[in-house]
């Protein structure tokens, strides 16, 4: 698959997700500040990789878009809430995100905090109220997403990241950190796509879904670390070199740029190997290969 074709597919899935996300918002003048802050970050751009994984896994496994879209919206809401909170002064204290001032720089810290809270709770409302799947499937999706987003998932990874600024982590600790902070939500996106297609969590197919997601999640983070050290802030839409400034543990603490890229490529090969046996897996294969070679 050519890069141009993949870009068109990504744009299609992103547009579909954004159209669905807008339906969760009803205007209320009394809540205007909150709604504006949520939408500022939710519709600030980005490739929408996580909702794309939800949609494409559902399609690959024979499901319908209508079943996957609420799950896709939910995972993007959680991702956006995490970015808003990560950028706050009490966390990473970032000024720029996707080429724009961060949420708290525009709306203030209190409103940014509440916007993140609202996106998080709105995500679970979207999953639980998905009428295109059975109630049993919705419950399973809520439980799985909760695990991936909470203390033993993304939030747990974030606290490990913060604590890691004050000590040197081992490679095993760094791998765990990123499997939680970055990988868990990517796994949730893929698994919920399979759930939307009617695949049970106990189905052997689900192990392949998780293998793919875990490997691309780690490869994604390795490339992120490389780009923070070598990328262009204008292309990335955020400041670069911040990992070194904050004394963060990264994969470049253990590997050279070349070694880290080799590691990311090997993880990508394992991800591709897990799913290429399925019909219609070409898009997900292309996504994995693009993530390992992206420049922004």
């Amino acid at each position: 698959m050519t890069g141009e074709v993949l870009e068109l597919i990504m744009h299609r899935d992103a547009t579909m997700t954004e159209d669905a996300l807008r339906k969760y918002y009803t205007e209320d003048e009394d809540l205007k500040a909150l709604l504006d802050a949520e939408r500022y970050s939710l519709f600030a751009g980005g490739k929408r990789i996580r909702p794309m994984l939800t949609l494409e896994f559902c399609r690959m496994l024979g499901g319908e878009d209508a079943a996957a879209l609420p799950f896709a919206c939910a995972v993007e809401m959680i991702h956006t809430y995490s970015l808003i909170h990560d950028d706050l002064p009490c966390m990473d204290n970032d000024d720029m995100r996707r080429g724009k001032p961060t949420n708290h720089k525009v709306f203030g810290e209190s409103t940014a905090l509440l916007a993140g809270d609202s996106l998080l709770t709105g995500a679970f409302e979207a999953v639980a109220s998905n009428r295109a799947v059975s109630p049993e499937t919705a419950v399973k999706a809520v439980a799985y997403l909760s695990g991936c987003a909470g203390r033993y998932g993304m939030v747990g990874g974030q606290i490990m990241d913060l604590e890691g600024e004050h000590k040197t982590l081992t490679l095993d600790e760094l791998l765990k950190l990123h499997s939680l902070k970055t990988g868990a939500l990517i796994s949730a996106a893929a698994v919920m796509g399979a759930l939307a297609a009617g695949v049970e969590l106990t189905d052997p197919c689900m192990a392949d879904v998780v293998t793919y997601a875990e490997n691309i999640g780690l490869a994604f983070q390795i490339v992120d670390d490389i780009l923070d050290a070598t990328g262009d802030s204008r292309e990335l839409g955020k400041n670069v070199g911040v990992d070194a400034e904050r004394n963060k543990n990264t994969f470049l603490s253990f590997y050279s740029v070349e070694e880290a890229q080799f590691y990311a490529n090997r993880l990508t090969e394992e991800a591709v190997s897990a799913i290429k046996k399925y019909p219609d897996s070409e898009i997900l294969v292309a996504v994995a290969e693009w993530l390992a070679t992206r420049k922004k």
Side-chain angles (χ1 to χ4, degrees):
M1 179 178 294
T2 66
E4 291 79 7
V5 171
L6 178 61
E7 189 170 337
L8 287 172
I9 294 170
M10 293 172 72
H11 178 72
R12 175 198 66 188
D13 288 355
T15 300
M16 184 178 294
T17 300
E18 289 169 7
D19 288 345
L21 281 166
R22 289 187 176 90
K23 296 176 183 177
Y24 290 98
Y25 287 86
T26 301
E27 295 303 326
D28 187 322
E29 192 61 31
D30 294 326
L31 304 177
K32 186 177 187 303
L34 176 65
L35 298 176
D36 285 349
E38 287 185 54
R39 288 180 294 207
Y40 175 81
S41 293
L42 194 57
F43 298 107
K47 294 292 187 182
R48 311 291 189 191
I49 296 300
R50 291 157 189 82
M52 182 183 188
L53 292 175
T54 304
L55 290 167
E56 294 301 338
F57 264 107
C58 182
R59 290 168 183 154
M60 186 186 78
L61 297 171
E64 301 293 332
D65 289 350
L69 270 171
F71 295 167
C73 289
V75 77
E76 190 66 9
M77 288 179 191
I78 289 181
H79 176 56
T80 303
Y81 119 76
S82 74
L83 299 181
I84 294 173
H85 282 193
D86 282 357
D87 290 338
L88 287 170
C90 63
M91 301 284 276
D92 288 347
N93 194 25
D94 277 322
D95 296 335
M96 299 294 293
R97 171 72 66 177
R98 293 171 174 166
K100 299 171 61 177
T102 47
N103 197 289
H104 68 275
K105 287 293 182 180
V106 177
F107 297 96
E109 292 179 36
S110 298
T111 300
L113 180 68
L114 290 171
D117 292 344
S118 182
L119 283 162
L120 174 60
T121 50
F124 289 106
E125 180 183 7
V127 176
S129 60
N130 186 353
R131 299 291 180 257
V133 300
S134 69
E136 292 79 10
T137 296
V139 168
K140 290 173 186 175
V142 167
Y144 199 90
L145 184 58
S146 299
C148 289
R151 66 178 68 89
Y152 299 114
M154 185 179 66
V155 174
Q158 182 64 29
I159 194 68
M160 287 186 69
D161 192 30
L162 287 172
E163 291 178 344
E165 294 180 11
H166 307 290
K167 64 180 181 180
T168 300
L169 300 179
T170 66
L171 180 57
D172 283 344
E173 289 172 330
L174 185 68
L175 287 168
K176 180 177 180 179
L177 185 166
H178 289 304
S179 72
L180 299 178
K181 182 182 177 183
T182 303
L185 194 59
I186 289 176
S187 291
V191 167
M192 289 199 300
L195 285 172
V199 178
E200 293 293 334
L201 290 171
T202 53
D203 191 302
C205 165
M206 198 64 86
D208 293 327
V209 173
V210 172
T211 296
Y212 172 93
E214 288 180 344
N215 279 283
I216 69 162
L218 190 52
F220 179 93
Q221 185 59 53
I222 292 170
V223 173
D224 233 31
D225 288 353
I226 293 171
L227 291 174
D228 184 76
T230 65
D232 186 321
S233 61
R234 291 170 296 181
E235 287 188 23
L236 294 172
K238 61 180 180 179
N239 295 328
V240 297
V242 294
D243 289 341
E245 291 176 7
R246 294 171 183 152
N247 198 35
K248 282 184 178 288
N249 295 269
T250 75
F251 285 97
L252 297 187
S253 305
F254 298 91
Y255 302 108
S256 68
V257 169
E258 294 75 16
E259 289 169 337
Q261 186 63 61
F262 180 83
Y263 189 5
N265 293 343
R266 182 163 61 82
L267 290 164
T268 301
E269 290 172 4
E270 293 175 12
V272 168
S273 179
I275 64 160
K276 66 180 181 181
K277 60 192 173 188
Y278 294 95
D280 303 317
S281 62
E282 294 87 355
I283 294 173
L284 288 166
V285 168
V287 169
E289 292 173 346
W290 173 78
L291 287 174
T293 57
R294 65 192 171 91
K295 301 302 179 186
K296 59 181 179 179

